[in-house]
Amino acid sequence: MASLILVGITWNYWVALACRALGGALNRNIGAIQTMVSELIGRPEHEPRAYAIIPFVWSIGTIIGPTIQGLLAKPTEGYSSLFPADGLFG
């Protein structure tokens, strides 16, 4: 989180790149995902296939997540019938 905040407030491309690299180096999501997969897979012969799917699912998530975020940005402007301007999201 600190890495992303630094990227957001940085003044220089190279500093932003270094902060992003630091965030990637300190990322522990892959270890947690591998642990979760090993605990959820009941049969050991299915583990290699499950581990092979992880990069695919990760890539799809990095595409779909920002897409959903973009669609839901400023909901009072994009979906004014569902989110009134004087409501919580206004």
Side-chain angles (χ1 to χ4, degrees):
M1 185 173 95
S3 162
L4 290 176
I5 290 172
L6 289 174
V7 168
I9 63 173
T10 189
W11 60 94
N12 187 332
Y13 172 76
W14 296 108
V15 175
L17 187 65
C19 292
R20 195 70 179 121
L22 178 68
L26 298 176
N27 189 355
R28 298 304 305 161
N29 289 337
I30 295 296
I33 290 171
Q34 289 177 342
T35 302
M36 182 185 70
V37 167
S38 68
E39 290 179 359
L40 289 175
I41 301 299
R43 299 172 62 180
E45 60 268 14
H46 292 284
E47 283 188 22
R49 187 170 184 180
Y51 287 125
I53 294 173
I54 291 174
F56 173 73
V57 174
W58 188 275
S59 298
I60 294 297
T62 59
I63 294 169
I64 292 175
T67 303
I68 292 171
Q69 178 183 359
L71 289 172
L72 297 177
K74 298 184 181 178
T76 56
E77 294 176 14
Y79 308 101
S80 58
S81 62
L82 296 174
F83 300 101
D86 59 347
L88 176 66
F89 295 101

